[in-house]
Amino acid sequence: MFFEGSRIGGRELLLVFSWACALAVAFCAVVACWRYGTHWWGYHVSGTATVPTTVYFISSEFSRFMHPSYFALYLCFALASCDFPSTRWSRVDVLLMSLIVLGILLSASKAGWIALAAYWGALGVVRWKDREERKRRLIAGTLVAAVLALLVFASPFFSEKVDQFKNAAQGAPVDVSAAGSTESREMIWGEALPLIREHLPLGTGTGDVKDVLLANYAEAGFTHAVELKLNAHSQLLQTPLTLGLIGAVLLMLHFALPLIHAARHRDGLMLAFLCFVLFNWAVESMLETQAGVVVLAWGALLLAFRAPDTSA
């Protein structure tokens, strides 16, 4: 635990983190352009390649460092880190946030899109009385929505992502052989919930949880989930299933205590971070991977380093 006098440098580290994420987006974009360019050259000049597509700019092909859902989570926190403390945007701020938002859109993570929209909308409501702030956020939000609409119109991959979300919202039936991310999650969550009740109060244990899940997928005919050996795809289900009631309680306290602290101190940035993590944990088993653990530990460290009088 830090002494209050030693809690310095958090703001600076958060800014460095935001720029690192923005530069990562720029790097991914340059690599995507290079790959597309070489493919285009091979097709139009050498005649040795198939027709080039925009796939290099989307999802896993775009995100060169980690799974795009995790990358989107990093970028959402990076956006809040540089945007939340600011009351006025300089040109550098606009460049920084534009790169980060572009990365969230091209990661093609539905959780990332929803988190971005929720954060932008919530902060817009909170700061609605500030006329200049309201104007900037409405204009920026409209531009981002227009870019996303253009991507959905121009790219079959983006269009498919939106269709998956619509079908899930409308309660459309899911085929057991479906390979889409949304459909797969619906099936997996439906299997995980009864398993949690079956293995209470101790859970399956860390060594058996994957075997238990795969056996149930196979019994239900979820061929895609069995082939990919998918976990519960939700940390809120994975932890209780693995560790039982103790794991569920610890997971709840992991969020409840910091949320109480953030509410008492009106720490909006901490609240945003916790909401980003909680929402992503609802749709991904993020503690099962290094990237998911790192963003939690790194974010908590940076927030802890902030001095009390500089907390957002």
Side-chain angles (χ1 to χ4, degrees):
M1 183 175 181
F2 297 104
F3 294 103
E4 286 195 3
S6 66
R7 293 184 187 179
I8 57 175
R11 277 287 180 85
E12 291 76 13
L13 286 173
L14 285 167
L15 184 59
V16 169
F17 169 71
S18 297
W19 272 108
C21 288
L23 291 175
V25 172
F27 175 82
C28 291
V30 169
V31 171
C33 290
W34 173 262
R35 296 176 69 197
Y36 179 83
T38 55
H39 194 155
W40 183 92
W41 182 270
Y43 177 74
H44 290 281
V45 179
S46 304
T48 58
T50 57
V51 178
T53 67
T54 57
V55 67
Y56 299 113
F57 298 91
I58 301 169
S59 191
S60 298
E61 293 293 331
F62 172 76
S63 178
R64 309 308 302 169
F65 299 99
M66 63 186 72
H67 189 282
S69 295
Y70 293 75
F71 192 34
L73 171 57
Y74 279 70
L75 293 174
C76 284
F77 180 45
L79 176 64
S81 297
C82 62
D83 169 51
F84 197 93
S86 302
T87 56
R88 295 292 181 269
W89 296 345
S90 66
R91 292 181 180 179
V92 175
D93 293 329
V94 172
L95 172 63
L96 174 59
M97 288 189 285
S98 297
L99 283 172
I100 293 173
V101 170
L102 178 65
I104 296 173
L105 295 180
L106 296 183
S107 293
S109 165
K110 294 186 289 294
W113 293 350
I114 295 171
L116 171 62
Y119 166 78
W120 205 257
L123 200 58
V125 171
V126 170
R127 297 181 177 177
W128 186 258
K129 293 182 179 180
D130 186 326
R131 182 178 179 181
E132 290 299 319
E133 180 90 0
R134 181 172 69 246
K135 180 180 177 181
R136 283 197 306 271
R137 293 194 178 277
L138 286 174
I139 293 174
T142 301
L143 289 174
V144 172
V147 171
L148 181 57
L150 179 62
L151 290 172
V152 171
F153 177 78
S155 169
F157 183 90
F158 278 98
S159 179
E160 181 185 0
K161 287 278 186 179
V162 174
D163 289 340
Q164 289 177 10
F165 183 78
K166 288 181 179 178
N167 292 336
Q170 295 170 357
V174 179
D175 188 275
V176 294
S177 61
S181 59
T182 302
E183 294 92 340
S184 297
R185 282 176 171 82
E186 288 186 69
M187 293 185 292
I188 289 170
W189 295 341
E191 286 298 303
L193 285 169
L195 287 175
I196 292 174
R197 293 192 293 268
E198 179 183 337
H199 289 276
L200 286 177
L202 299 179
T204 63
T206 56
D208 298 323
V209 62
K210 182 63 74 69
D211 294 335
V212 171
L213 284 168
L214 292 180
N216 276 267
Y217 298 160
E219 184 178 345
F222 299 161
T223 55
H224 178 70
V226 174
E227 290 172 1
L228 296 183
K229 298 182 179 180
L230 299 179
N231 55 38
H233 260 62
S234 170
Q235 198 63 54
L236 306 184
L237 298 177
Q238 184 86 22
T239 298
L241 176 59
T242 307
L243 302 175
L245 285 176
I246 294 177
V249 170
L250 290 175
L251 191 69
M252 180 187 68
L253 292 175
H254 182 85
F255 283 101
L257 296 179
L259 279 172
I260 292 172
H261 175 86
R264 286 180 175 176
H265 293 81
R266 297 186 178 182
D267 191 341
L269 183 56
M270 181 182 290
L271 181 61
F273 174 71
L274 291 170
C275 289
F276 288 148
V277 173
L278 180 59
F279 180 66
N280 278 269
W281 280 15
V283 296
E284 291 281 356
S285 297
M286 287 196 163
L287 291 182
E288 308 301 306
T289 65
Q290 180 178 347
V293 173
V294 167
V295 69
L296 175 66
W298 180 245
L301 178 65
L302 295 186
L303 291 173
F305 262 124
R306 295 172 305 155
D309 60 342
T310 59
S311 294

